[in-house]
Amino acid sequence: MSTATSFSLGRRSILKGRFDGSFALRPPGALGAGLFEEACSHCGDCALECPQAIIVADEEGFPKVDVSARGCTFCGTCAEVCEDGAILSAEGWDVRASVDDTCLSVQGVSCRTCEDHCDAGAIRFRLMTAGRAQPEVSLDDCTGCGACVAPCPSDAISLLRPAPQPSTSQPTASENQNV
Ligand code: SF4
Ligand code: SF4
Ligand code: SF4
């Protein structure tokens, strides 16, 4: 698993908005930024073999993951076919789902689509006034698979990378950036 960013998450962590998304979403298991670009030869094998067809080339020809149509199953195929050692075996990602305010449920329209598509059970809804409900993503339970992104009717979900959390300071929403 990529270790470009490390972070600690409490068992009851709920998405609160501290993220550093200034990165390309490489396949799960990709080496960290810099090392990956040194190792990858642009062969395209991972993109060719990905059963989900979610690996595309970025502007420089390096593979990146695009979950706009479907999510990652963590099947490991991309790591298996990478002969350059740029992608190693991994069970997950250090990205998590984030819901913005365009969410229908937040605006009072009944929707639980993301919850229905989350096999990990990472999305819960906090009831609000006026029939609204705020989806909250458990950072502990979310695998970052991205399966909730495409089905969302309001395109409200992004995958983001939680930034390192200093032990003494609180999260700040200003650091959010989309993948
Ligand atoms: S783990 Fe599987 S589904 Fe995910 S990007 Fe790699 S090949 Fe595609
Ligand atoms: S699927 Fe999208 S619009 Fe529906 S509740 Fe989830 S985030 Fe909101
Ligand atoms: S990214 Fe995957 S695990 Fe996380 S909330 Fe969405 S569907 Fe659930």
Side-chain angles (χ1 to χ4, degrees):
M1 178 176 185
S2 173
T3 55
T5 300
S6 62
F7 53 91
S8 61
L9 303 170
R11 287 296 306 161
R12 296 181 181 280
S13 294
I14 300 296
L15 188 65
K16 289 186 181 299
R18 182 182 179 85
F19 291 99
D20 176 2
S22 55
F23 67 103
L25 183 58
R26 303 298 183 202
L31 301 179
L35 293 175
F36 177 80
E37 287 76 8
E38 285 183 17
C40 174
S41 64
H42 298 197
C43 69
D45 288 349
C46 54
L48 191 65
E49 299 296 334
C50 173
Q52 295 289 90
I54 58 173
I55 301 179
V56 299
D58 69 11
E59 297 77 10
E60 298 179 326
F62 292 108
K64 71 174 184 178
V65 171
D66 177 0
V67 296
S68 61
R70 63 195 69 84
C72 173
T73 62
F74 304 111
C75 67
T77 300
C78 48
E80 292 171 12
V81 302
C82 180
E83 296 186 352
D84 295 322
I87 308 173
L88 307 179
S89 178
E91 296 181 353
W93 258 331
D94 54 356
V95 294
R96 299 292 183 266
S98 174
V99 182
D100 67 32
D101 289 342
T102 63
C103 166
L104 297 179
S105 179
V106 171
Q107 300 172 36
V109 179
S110 179
C111 181
R112 295 294 186 274
T113 303
C114 51
E115 182 179 40
D116 293 343
H117 283 79
C118 180
D119 291 341
I123 301 177
R124 299 280 189 275
F125 284 79
R126 177 171 53 82
L127 297 182
M128 306 164 70
T129 58
R132 298 175 299 138
Q134 172 70 56
E136 295 182 329
V137 180
S138 165
L139 294 178
D140 289 324
D141 295 329
C142 176
T143 63
C145 71
C148 56
V149 174
C152 173
S154 64
D155 196 23
I157 305 176
S158 302
L159 293 183
L160 304 169
R161 174 176 289 159
Q165 296 186 14
S167 58
T168 55
S169 64
Q170 293 299 309
T172 57
S174 62
E175 295 177 12
N176 285 8
Q177 289 183 348
N178 291 347
V179 169

